[in-house]
């Protein structure tokens, strides 16, 4: 049985004796740590901080305290939910209470139906409603709250949420990255965040926006450049859109002059006015490729990209209160020093003024935290080996990991929960799950294929098992650099390995289908095999001789093949492809005599 903390008793319940009976039901699984009366969103509410007892923590995965809000009105209204949302951002609740769920108590007999009808797709927090008559009637039932939690938790799929996260409810990890970006903004530095689709770039930008707002650092203006409402605009029209948004936010009149020179002049004035008011302006451009020199849909941006960014760069040089963040698939939009427009080479205005970072998958620890936290809330306990297996499959990619766990969730009946998922079950289920997720694998790498075909071809090569060809071509760093930046590939003792196996399997399958092969691994065509064998043999001989030279230059190291070294190595190159019995005999005789 839970208890009321003495401080809460003295500070609140001694003067609000009518509330003691109302919270008695929750003492069947929680301690009441604190209680407050609040006036928020034009309504009076009571807020309690609950700490789960050990058996409740184990059953439902509660690690933080839980918020209980009491709305003492006979009819629920939207302002009650607004007040509830506000509490999560106020002291002492912010950072202390669980953001995934809360309890809502109301005098309204139909509060459960009201919450269900009022829920919207963007509100991902689980609100467990109780009516006043309900808690009074069941205050002595030790199973009542547990059964209600089972009803609301075990029937939900918390992993299946795939939209960008616009609150902290499901935001896991990335805290160090957020801190770096906030510090850069405070110093007036421009930043870029890049990576594969659905790695959480937009969610990260939303998080940065929330921190800026909470810390009152400045005003954020967010633009999704993939949206037709922005990418179809000409550069000065887009600049006017930004200018008018700034004016409206800092409360100065908007001048409706929309020719190029006037827009530039007025933009400068607006930024200067914000500077005079001590307001920092942060422009965020998501999906930057769509308004760049590689724009796939709107040709005018391939030329107008320069005018747009030269203008922003020029204004920023004068007024340091203006800074920006760009986000996209690949940092080449800011890494290329010059671009060609109408046959003329022009300096890229973004070159050298953006500090870029690639957003890879979640770390092992972050992935572990996400799976365990959400899984426990749904009545699923993932064994440690299962989480390691899932991480190895999806490389910590947030969306793919969540979708795979969402599909796993469907294989376990609600009535059998809580349930523990073991490695054997995961290994049996994930292959079929991966077959269902094929569309998402394509989605993750689609923009790599669309915008950067050379890099995609290198990944395709490695996925198809052409490791030697990949290593030979990878000496050209520009063909592989971003594959490592994305976290698609990593080096293991000098050997490249795919870090996102499910994506590699998909790419290999697609290539095999395109080339009408049954095997995912690419076979050399018969007419090309002689040339391929000679090329590989030359490469092997060259590497072996370089190794011998390195050994000979190291004092005290024994020679690799004795004093005679590798004297007839070139005969290996002359061996014909073993496409007949006689050629196979020649091959084995040559290898045997030199082994």
């Amino acid at each position: 049985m839970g208890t009321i903390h003495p401080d809460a008793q003295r500070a609140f319940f001694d003067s609000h004796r009518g509330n003691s009976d109302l919270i008695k039901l929750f003492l069947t699984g929680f301690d009441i740590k604190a209680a407050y009366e609040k006036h928020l969103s034009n309504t009076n509410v009571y807020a309690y901080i609950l700490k789960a007892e050990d058996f409740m923590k184990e059953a439902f995965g509660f690690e933080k305290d839980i918020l209980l809000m009491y709305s003492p009105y006979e009819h629920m209204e939207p302002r009650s939910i607004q007040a509830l949302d506000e509490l999560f951002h106020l002291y002492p609740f912010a950072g202390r209470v669980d953001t995934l769920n809360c309890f809502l108590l109301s005098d309204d007999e139909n509060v459960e139906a009201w919450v269900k009808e009022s829920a919207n797709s963007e509100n991902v927090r689980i609100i467990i409603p109780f009516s006043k008559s309900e808690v009074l009637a069941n205050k002595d039932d030790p199973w009542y709250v547990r059964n209600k939690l089972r009803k609301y938790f075990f029937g939900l799929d918390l992993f299946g949420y795939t939209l960008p996260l616009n609150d902290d409810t499901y935001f896991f990890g990335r805290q160090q990255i957020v801190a770096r970006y906030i510090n850069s903004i405070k110093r007036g530095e421009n930043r870029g965040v890049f990576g594969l689709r659905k790695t959480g770039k937009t969610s990260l930008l939303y998080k940065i926006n929330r921190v800026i707002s909470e810390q009152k650092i400045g005003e954020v203006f967010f633009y999704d450049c993939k949206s037709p409402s922005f990418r179809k605009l000409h550069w000065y029209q887009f600049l006017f859109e930004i200018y008018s948004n700034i004016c409206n936010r800092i409360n100065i009149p908007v001048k409706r002059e929309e020719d190029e020179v006037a827009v530039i002049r007025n933009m400068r004035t607006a930024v200067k006015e914000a500077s005079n008011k001590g307001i920092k302006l942060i422009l965020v451009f998501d999906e930057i490729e769509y308004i760049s020199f590689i724009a796939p849909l709107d040709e005018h941006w391939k030329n107008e990209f320069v005018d747009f960014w030269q203008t922003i760069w020029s204004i920023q040089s004068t007024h340091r209160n203006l800074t920006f963040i760009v986000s996209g698939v690949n940092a080449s939009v800011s890494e290329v020093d010059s671009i060609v427009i109408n046959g003329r080479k022009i300096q890229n205005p973004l070159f050298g003024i953006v500090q870029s970072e690639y957003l890879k998958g979640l770390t092992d620890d972050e992935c572990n935290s996400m799976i365990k936290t959400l899984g426990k809330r749904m009545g699923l306990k993932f064994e440690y080996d299962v989480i390691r297996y899932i991480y190895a499959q999806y490389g910590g990619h947030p969306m793919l990991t969540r979708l795979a766990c969402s599909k796993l969730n469907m294989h376990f009946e609600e009535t059998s929960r809580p349930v523990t998922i073991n490695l054997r079950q995961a290994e049996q289920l994930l292959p079929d799950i991966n077959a269902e997720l094929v569309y998402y694998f394509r989605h993750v790498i689609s923009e790599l294929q669309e915008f950067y075909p050379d890099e995609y071809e290198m990944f395709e090569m490695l996925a198809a098992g052409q490791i030697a060809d990949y290593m030979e071509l990878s000496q050209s760093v520009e063909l592989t650099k971003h594959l490592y930046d994305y976290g698609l590939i990593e080096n293991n003792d000098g050997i490249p390995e795919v870090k996102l196996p499910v994506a590699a399997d998909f790419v290999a399958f697609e290539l095999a289908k395109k080339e009408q092969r049954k095997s995912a691994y690419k076979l050399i065509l018969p007419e090309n095999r002689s040339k391929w064998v000679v090329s590989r043999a030359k490469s092997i001989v060259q590497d072996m001789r370089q190794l011998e030279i390195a050994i000979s230059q190291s004092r005290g190291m024994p020679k690799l093949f004795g004093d005679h070294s590798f004297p007839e190595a070139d005969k290996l190159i002359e061996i014909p492809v073993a496409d007949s019995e006689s050629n196979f005999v020649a091959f084995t005789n040559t290898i045997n005599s030199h082994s």
Side-chain angles (χ1 to χ4, degrees), residues 448-459:
L448 174 64
Q449 185 177 17
E450 180 181 357
F451 290 118
Y452 310 102
D454 291 340
E455 295 184 22
Y456 178 83
E457 189 174 345
M458 291 294 291
F459 183 64

Side-chain angles (χ1 to χ4, degrees), residues 467-486:
I467 298 176
D469 293 329
Y470 172 89
M471 292 184 70
E472 184 175 318
L473 289 172
S474 65
Q475 295 176 20
S476 176
V477 177
E478 64 269 14
L479 290 178
T480 60
K481 177 182 181 298
H482 295 123
L483 296 178
Y484 289 95
D485 291 334
Y486 293 138

Side-chain angles (χ1 to χ4, degrees), residues 265-514:
R265 181 180 64 248
N266 293 335
M267 178 71 175
R268 284 185 183 277
T269 301
V271 174
K272 182 180 179 181
E273 186 65 27
S275 179
N276 293 339
K277 292 185 175 188
I279 300 173
K280 185 178 288 291
L281 307 173
I282 303 100
L283 309 180
V284 179
F285 300 94
D286 199 10
E287 305 278 6
I288 186 65
E289 280 88 358
Y290 286 86
I291 61 164
S292 75
F293 54 84
I294 57 170
L297 298 175
D298 303 283
E299 287 290 321
H300 63 275
W301 278 106
K302 294 181 178 180
N303 296 332
E304 296 181 9
F305 167 84
V306 172
D307 287 337
F308 182 77
W309 285 106
Q310 278 183 343
T311 300
I312 291 179
W313 179 21
S314 173
I315 296 173
Q316 186 180 46
S317 299
T318 306
H319 304 290
R320 301 304 300 166
N321 64 316
L322 178 66
T323 187
F324 63 82
I325 301 174
V326 295
S327 172
V329 178
N330 193 300
S332 62
V333 293
S334 60
E335 290 175 339
V336 174
D337 63 341
S338 61
I339 55 180
V340 177
I341 297 179
N342 297 327
R344 294 176 57 197
K345 183 180 281 191
I346 298 175
Q347 182 183 7
N348 179 3
L350 282 179
F351 180 72
I353 67 168
V354 177
Q355 185 179 352
S356 296
E357 182 168 350
Y358 279 83
L359 196 64
K360 300 179 182 180
L362 298 172
T363 66
D364 198 346
D365 288 341
E366 291 168 345
C367 197
N368 181 61
S369 175
M370 180 181 74
I371 293 174
K372 285 177 62 177
T373 301
L374 299 182
K376 270 194 170 184
R377 209 57 52 87
M378 298 161 60
L380 301 176
K381 182 178 179 181
F382 292 80
E383 290 186 348
Y384 178 72
D385 287 345
V386 175
I387 297 178
R388 289 289 301 274
Y389 177 63
I390 292 172
Y391 185 77
Q393 287 282 303
Y394 307 104
H397 188 284
M399 186 190 74
L400 295 180
T401 300
R402 292 171 77 112
L403 287 173
C405 291
S406 173
K407 296 292 184 181
L408 278 172
N409 167 60
M410 297 178 185
H411 289 271
F412 298 92
E413 296 292 335
E414 294 173 29
T415 53
S416 66
R417 302 186 189 193
V419 64
T420 298
I421 302 175
N422 59 45
L423 182 59
R424 181 182 59 82
Q425 291 169 315
E427 288 175 336
Q428 288 177 342
L429 293 170
L430 276 182
D432 289 337
I433 287 172
N434 287 340
E436 295 180 55
L437 298 181
V438 163
Y439 167 77
Y440 294 98
F441 303 153
R442 179 184 291 111
H443 186 62
V444 165
I445 61 174
S446 61
E447 289 186 337
L448 174 64
Q449 185 177 17
E450 180 181 357
F451 290 118
Y452 310 102
D454 291 340
E455 295 184 22
Y456 178 83
E457 189 174 345
M458 291 294 291
F459 183 64
E460 195 176 50
M461 190 179 297
L462 193 58
Q466 299 172 262
I467 298 176
D469 293 329
Y470 172 89
M471 292 184 70
E472 184 175 318
L473 289 172
S474 65
Q475 295 176 20
S476 176
V477 177
E478 64 269 14
L479 290 178
T480 60
K481 177 182 181 298
H482 295 123
L483 296 178
Y484 289 95
D485 291 334
Y486 293 138
L488 279 173
I489 295 173
E490 62 181 357
N491 262 326
N492 186 3
D493 293 331
I495 304 299
E497 288 186 354
V498 174
K499 196 180 177 185
L500 195 60
V502 290
D505 291 344
F506 165 74
V507 168
F509 175 77
E510 289 290 294
L511 180 61
K513 188 167 63 174
K514 183 174 69 176

Side-chain angles (χ1 to χ4, degrees), residues 57 61-66 98 369 372-373 376-377:
K57 290 180 181 179
F62 294 129
E63 295 183 359
K64 289 187 173 183
D65 294 339
I66 307 300
D98 197 323
S369 175
K372 285 177 62 177
T373 301
K376 270 194 170 184
R377 209 57 52 87

Side-chain angles (χ1 to χ4, degrees), residues 89-90 166-168 178 181-182 185-186 204-221 249 279-282 284 325:
H89 301 285
L90 297 178
N166 56 11
D167 63 31
D168 287 335
V178 171
Y181 277 64
I182 293 300
I185 289 168
K186 288 178 178 178
L204 176 70
L205 296 176
Y206 286 169
K207 172 66 175 179
I208 292 169
N209 186 6
R210 291 194 298 274
V211 174
I212 291 171
S213 177
E214 290 164 6
Q215 296 185 8
K216 302 187 187 310
I217 296 170
E219 296 291 338
V220 178
F221 302 85
R249 192 79 62 86
I279 300 173
K280 185 178 288 291
L281 307 173
I282 303 100
V284 179
I325 301 174

Side-chain angles (χ1 to χ4, degrees), residues 20-55:
S20 297
D21 278 348
L22 289 177
I23 54 87
K24 186 176 180 181
L25 173 66
F26 300 96
L27 292 174
T28 58
F30 299 88
D31 295 327
I32 311 297
K33 304 296 291 182
Y36 306 90
E37 184 174 1
K38 296 285 186 180
H39 183 78
L40 303 167
S41 296
N42 201 31
T43 187
N44 290 314
V45 297
Y46 299 96
Y48 311 88
I49 296 177
L50 280 57
K51 181 178 181 180
E53 294 188 77
D54 289 343
F55 70 90

